[in-house]
Amino acid sequence: MHNEVKLCNRWRFDEVQIEDMSLLDYVAVIPSKHATYVPHTAGRYSVKRFRKAQCPIVERLTNSLMMHKRNNGKKLMAVRIIKHAMEIIHLLTDQNPIQVIVDAIINSGGLREDATRIGSVGVVRRQVIDISPLRHVNQAIYLLTTGAHESAFRNIKTIAKCLADELINAAKGSSNRDPNFYEIFKNMHVKKVDDQFFDNNSQMIVDLMEERVTVASQPVEGSMDLQPIDYDPFYLETIGGQKKQRVYDIGSKGVAFCSGNCASSSSITIAVMETNERIAVMETEMKEKDQHITLLKDEMQQMKEVNNEMKEMKNAIQQQMTNMQSQLAALMRQMGHRVPAEHPPAGQPTTDPPANDEEDDLGLDD
């Protein structure tokens, strides 16, 4: 239809499908109610409780990008980030970005049940409860935007590219990598209530890690790009390495790491040897390519010299032909023959006297 409302004047709402029936009323993508040209309706969705469920889902994602601190209130910047992220999603997946966002929210809401404390001060027990659909959507939006912010920090990738990666991976129900030791440590040693560390030792480890990562990620001389960081070696160095065949402070991952990647020094030695062999092979190939390039340059230089010689020979032959024509014309004059009229070479005057037509007519020639 000519009057159909499309997001960013490109993406249609009527193509979006919500697979989870429990979220039909909380993921606002109905074309007749929530179709907008831009994710900026200026609606007063926070005035009344639960009214934010009526806010278009793309605008809710846009609003979540404005948290926290230095991003507060920058709605136009958030709209621009969402627009760029949707373009990237379409280029990478060839799908409707609104559908990818909806699928990502469905898959990223976390657990469907939780535990709460029930009872008075004296008798307290924990009771399993279900998570409401609105809480599921809120948690999904928060996790997606927070992951995009953290992945874009100290990274040459833009926030739009990071957000697009988060949405695509969440829509697929998978991630590109496993969490590193530092991320596991922060997740295990930070209180969920106030985001504070459990003790001073945890805070000190995080501070040391931040200092080392900051120094190691500085760009090299002559380049503006930040260096990629492997967090695991920095974390092992910060906590003092392995102790009793395990890495402490990261739970069961510590035992799995030592039993798999660090089971014995022989496996490390073999891996180092294989890496050195690969490096040696790559260096040999680079030297061969350099020699080939040098040979090609020499051949090009020789071809240029031959071309110059051919040009000089051509000029010399033309000069000889001009001289021979001049000599032939002079010889023919000496023998009494009339030389056909030719254009003299440039810069040479004509030497033939003008013909006397009248004497020829009267027969006065000697």
Side-chain angles (χ1 to χ4, degrees), residues 101-248:
I101 292 174
V102 171
D103 294 341
I105 290 174
I106 293 174
N107 296 333
S108 304
L111 300 176
R112 294 304 182 98
E113 61 181 20
D114 201 351
T116 185
R117 295 165 59 92
I118 295 178
S120 59
V121 179
V123 180
V124 177
R125 61 186 179 88
R126 299 187 66 84
Q127 176 69 37
V128 178
I129 58 174
D130 295 330
I131 300 297
S132 67
L134 184 59
R135 166 74 175 173
H136 180 93
V137 174
N138 297 343
Q139 191 74 4
I141 295 174
Y142 167 77
L143 292 175
L144 289 170
T145 54
T146 303
H149 279 299
E150 292 182 356
S151 60
F153 188 63
R154 288 201 184 97
N155 196 342
I156 59 175
K157 292 168 59 175
T158 62
I159 180 65
K161 182 65 171 64
C162 294
L163 180 61
D165 292 340
E166 291 287 337
L167 292 172
I168 293 172
N169 293 330
K172 292 179 180 179
S174 62
S175 60
N176 287 334
R177 62 175 180 84
D178 295 330
N180 55 53
F181 293 160
Y182 182 51
E183 293 172 343
I184 297 173
F185 176 82
K186 289 179 65 176
N187 187 50
M188 293 181 61
H189 292 78
V190 173
K191 299 178 182 179
K192 294 183 180 180
V193 179
D194 53 1
D195 292 335
Q196 299 294 326
F197 290 96
F198 286 106
D199 53 10
N200 295 331
N201 187 28
S202 302
Q203 180 69 54
M204 182 182 65
I205 291 175
V206 171
D207 293 340
L208 290 175
M209 276 290 299
E210 293 291 342
E211 293 178 2
R212 293 182 176 179
V213 169
T214 302
V215 174
S217 62
Q218 295 300 318
V220 297
E221 184 177 358
S223 175
M224 297 298 293
D225 297 336
L226 297 178
Q227 298 299 311
I229 299 298
D230 186 4
Y231 285 85
D232 291 346
F234 287 102
Y235 177 77
L236 293 175
E237 184 180 355
T238 302
I239 66 172
Q242 307 174 34
K243 298 177 183 178
K244 297 181 180 180
Q245 293 298 319
R246 68 171 296 164
V247 178
Y248 283 90

Side-chain angles (χ1 to χ4, degrees), residues 279-338:
I279 293 174
V281 171
M282 292 177 65
E283 289 178 352
T284 304
E285 293 177 355
M286 290 179 64
K287 289 181 181 178
E288 293 176 355
K289 290 181 179 180
D290 291 338
Q291 293 176 358
H292 184 63
I293 292 173
T294 304
L295 293 175
L296 291 176
K297 288 182 178 179
D298 294 338
E299 291 179 0
M300 290 179 63
Q301 185 65 27
Q302 292 177 1
M303 292 177 66
K304 288 181 179 179
E305 293 176 357
V306 171
N307 190 20
N308 293 333
E309 292 177 359
M310 294 289 290
K311 288 182 178 179
E312 293 176 358
M313 291 177 62
K314 180 181 177 181
N315 295 332
I317 291 172
Q318 290 179 353
Q319 185 65 30
Q320 290 179 3
M321 291 180 63
T322 303
N323 295 335
M324 290 176 65
Q325 289 177 357
S326 300
Q327 293 175 4
L328 181 61
L331 183 61
M332 291 179 68
R333 290 191 190 93
Q334 292 178 3
M335 294 177 65
H337 296 285
R338 174 174 290 185

Side-chain angles (χ1 to χ4, degrees), residues 51-94:
R51 186 179 290 178
K52 61 183 178 181
Q54 303 173 10
C55 179
I57 194 65
V58 181
E59 184 174 2
R60 291 201 63 190
L61 187 67
T62 306
N63 294 338
S64 183
L65 278 177
M66 293 192 294
M67 298 183 293
H68 297 281
K69 298 180 181 178
R70 60 182 181 180
N71 299 320
N72 287 347
K74 299 179 181 179
K75 187 64 174 285
L76 296 182
M77 182 182 71
V79 171
R80 186 180 69 249
I81 292 172
I82 291 293
K83 183 178 179 180
H84 292 174
M86 295 177 74
E87 294 287 349
I88 295 172
I89 291 171
H90 179 67
L91 291 174
L92 295 179
T93 63
D94 198 22

